[in-house]
Amino acid sequence: MSYFKIDRIWRIYYVMPTYIAKQPDLPEVPKHWTRFDGIHSPRIEETPRKVVVRQVEHEPGAYAPYHSHGWGQLLFISEGLIHVSAKDIGFWVVPPQRAVWIPAFTQHDARTIHAVQMRNLYISPDAASELPDHCQVIHITPLLRELILALGEFDTLYDEAGAEGRLVQVFLDRLKTTPEVPLSLPRPSGKILQKIADYLAADPADQRSMEDWATELGTSSRSLARHFRQDTGMTFGQWRQQARLLAALTRIARGDPIANIALDLGYSSQSAFIAMFKKALGKTPGRYFEL
């Protein structure tokens, strides 16, 4: 078998990664995962191309512990739903027909919530120089989706000077102009704020006000409010609503009734929940996953 002639479909069983030698002044980069039959894949960073695509399938509950890559990673979900978090930065929900962009050397993990089919597109540092320097979820347009699917059919060492190389460049050009989707939940850095954030992430329906939290934690509501905005760029109310929104997306993808979701997340009525959802994401909950 040629070094680069490997199957495109990888069924990955997540284990704690082993690390290669640390490069000077750069975070550690894990070796890539092995296939189910034990054959090792070549390291992405050693591939002399701008983009490498791998098709991956996971069952619910699959988990990749914190790791990073030497190249940027666009993780496109064609079916299913995953959660991704970047260490000490934030949390993202990635539904179908969306993708999460993870810059090079960003420590991140991933958890499969519903069985997924996805494409991992690894982008070299030179090709990613104009892409965002922070994690974000993006909407995949029909054109970008078709480009991703087409790239997935290329050999690893595709012809850079021919039609394949030109299509890769079109993909990169379109990716640069794709807007961010508000599906992130920033993590505060202060220990007191992290206690609140962890509790609300676990129970988004909690109705306690900032004043209630200040009394419970022995501090002032004004101090909490100021630090919450400084740490997350959001007010306490905005952060809690975003936590509820991301929790709702997970349950909508699972097929839970909208009325039950609204009640469980602390909304006074189904209509109030639908209004919040549409204002935040531009579609009603029942239509959000339509292409």
Side-chain angles (χ1 to χ4, degrees):
M1 178 183 296
S2 170
Y3 182 71
F4 287 101
K5 292 288 185 178
I6 56 176
D7 293 342
R8 296 189 184 92
I9 299 178
W10 298 73
R11 299 180 185 274
I12 298 172
Y13 295 83
Y14 287 122
V15 295
M16 288 298 293
T18 55
Y19 291 91
I20 63 171
K22 189 173 182 180
Q23 303 177 49
D25 301 319
L26 292 175
E28 290 177 323
V29 182
K31 291 181 178 178
H32 274 274
W33 312 104
T34 60
R35 293 195 317 185
F36 67 96
D37 58 4
I39 298 176
H40 289 271
S41 70
R43 289 186 59 238
I44 295 298
E45 295 82 1
E46 296 171 353
T47 307
R49 291 295 182 269
K50 292 181 179 180
V51 176
V52 175
V53 183
R54 286 182 178 164
Q55 180 176 324
V56 182
E57 299 175 359
H58 295 308
E59 296 302 317
Y63 177 67
Y66 281 110
H67 63 287
S68 68
H69 307 282
W71 285 18
Q73 180 183 17
L74 184 73
L75 207 164
F76 166 60
I77 306 299
S78 55
E79 295 181 21
L81 184 142
I82 66 166
H83 290 173
V84 174
S85 62
K87 197 168 186 178
D88 300 324
I89 299 173
F91 167 80
W92 292 262
V93 170
V94 193
Q97 305 309 311
R98 280 76 175 175
V100 59
W101 166 246
I102 305 169
F105 301 112
T106 300
Q107 289 285 324
H108 64 282
D109 70 356
R111 185 182 301 277
T112 301
I113 306 303
H114 308 298
V116 298
Q117 293 187 12
M118 59 186 178
R119 303 298 195 281
N120 278 332
L121 293 95
Y122 300 93
I123 302 176
S124 70
D126 288 344
S129 61
E130 297 182 47
L131 295 177
D133 60 1
H134 60 281
C135 295
Q136 58 179 246
V137 173
I138 61 173
H139 177 71
I140 299 298
T141 64
L143 174 57
L144 199 52
R145 178 180 182 275
E146 292 306 315
L147 288 168
I148 290 171
L149 296 180
L151 267 58
E153 296 300 316
F154 293 176
D155 289 333
T156 302
L157 297 182
Y158 58 84
D159 181 8
E160 284 192 303
E164 293 174 335
R166 292 193 293 272
L167 203 59
V168 167
Q169 193 57 54
V170 172
F171 159 73
L172 292 170
D173 289 341
R174 298 301 301 179
L175 187 60
K176 294 172 189 175
T177 63
T178 303
E180 183 175 0
V181 179
L183 296 180
S184 65
L185 191 66
R187 180 169 175 77
S189 58
K191 290 184 178 179
I192 291 179
L193 297 185
Q194 286 179 1
K195 290 181 180 179
I196 301 174
D198 290 344
Y199 191 96
L200 290 177
D203 182 17
D206 187 280
Q207 298 285 8
R208 278 176 288 182
S209 66
M210 183 63 83
E211 289 73 19
D212 295 331
W213 281 108
T215 299
E216 182 171 326
L217 297 172
T219 185
S220 72
S221 60
R222 180 176 297 181
S223 176
L224 279 182
R226 182 177 68 254
H227 286 101
F228 216 98
R229 182 180 283 278
Q230 288 175 348
D231 271 18
T232 68
M234 297 178 173
T235 66
F236 171 74
Q238 290 169 337
W239 195 97
R240 181 168 60 185
Q241 177 175 293
Q242 187 71 356
R244 290 174 175 176
L245 181 67
L246 299 190
L249 277 173
T250 300
R251 294 188 56 181
I252 292 167
R254 192 171 65 195
D256 290 2
I258 301 301
N260 291 358
I261 297 173
L263 179 64
D264 293 344
L265 292 181
Y267 286 88
S268 58
S269 66
Q270 180 175 335
S271 60
F273 167 71
I274 292 173
M276 177 281 296
F277 192 99
K278 186 175 182 180
K279 182 178 180 181
L281 297 179
K283 289 185 178 182
T284 62
R287 301 191 63 183
Y288 185 73
F289 290 107
E290 294 178 358
L291 295 179

